[in-house]
Amino acid sequence: ERVAFMPERVLIRDMRFGRVSAARFGGEITYTAVSVAGAVAGWGGFAIIAGNLARSTVRLVALVQAVAWRDWLEPAPLRRRTLRELGGYGLILSASSLATFGARRWDNLLVTSFFGPAVAGAYTLAYNLADMSTTQVGEVQGRAWMHCDTPHEWWRCVAPGPPGDARRRFLLLRTRGRSGVIRSVWNW
């Protein structure tokens, strides 16, 4: 699956989300079919292993075929300026991820201390269920925005075109918080 990482990122950078979604869908269907067939055949836990291998293979083949190999496999010279920019960005991103983790999980500590581990477990599962759909949408959008050349004007990368263009009018934004609200931005 790690071999398919770069072709997938190239497709996301090029905003070819349909190909990425098709590869993920094909992989998940393959996983389900192989795992269930293996379980019926009596493979036990090895059915899950076979399903994982089949899913990764399908995703790899689908993603590698969709991208020119030069876009993701050709070596490029390493420059000091590039390393400095990546390091600076990585440091900021790491601090942001740590702060986000703390902001999202502090309530688990309070629920556990007031109500005990059983209630905290149910609370965490309920939150994860509610947050799942927005995480899936936000994850793909975040990957696309990471490749934007003008981060202070991210909407130009995500919604190219004139202000009246339908792609630009219907831009999904993932909002922070427990509610997982997705809004449409109609007025620019």
Side-chain angles (χ1 to χ4, degrees), residues 40-117:
V40 168
W43 294 358
F46 288 107
I48 295 173
I49 295 171
N52 280 324
L53 290 172
R55 172 177 43 198
S56 295
T57 303
V58 167
R59 285 185 68 187
L60 175 66
V61 169
L63 293 171
V64 167
Q65 286 180 350
V67 179
W69 70 272
R70 292 186 192 274
D71 287 344
W72 66 279
L73 195 57
E74 189 173 45
L78 199 57
R79 295 185 180 93
R80 185 178 299 251
R81 179 175 178 246
T82 304
L83 287 175
R84 191 171 36 246
E85 287 177 6
L86 287 174
Y89 180 74
L91 184 64
I92 293 169
L93 189 62
S94 296
S96 172
S97 295
L98 184 62
T100 299
F101 178 79
R104 290 185 64 183
R105 302 294 179 199
W106 67 270
D107 56 335
N108 291 344
L109 181 63
L110 290 176
V111 170
T112 304
S113 65
F114 286 127
F115 302 108

Side-chain angles (χ1 to χ4, degrees), residues 1-17 19-21 23-24 59-74 143 147:
E1 193 168 304
R2 291 295 113 192
V3 177
F5 182 81
M6 285 307 296
E8 183 180 43
R9 295 307 181 265
V10 170
L11 287 171
I12 290 171
R13 179 196 67 194
D14 295 341
M15 300 182 88
R16 294 170 57 193
F17 301 118
R19 293 300 295 245
V20 174
S21 296
R24 288 181 180 176
R59 285 185 68 187
L60 175 66
V61 169
L63 293 171
V64 167
Q65 286 180 350
V67 179
W69 70 272
R70 292 186 192 274
D71 287 344
W72 66 279
L73 195 57
E74 189 173 45
R143 288 178 187 164
H147 300 289

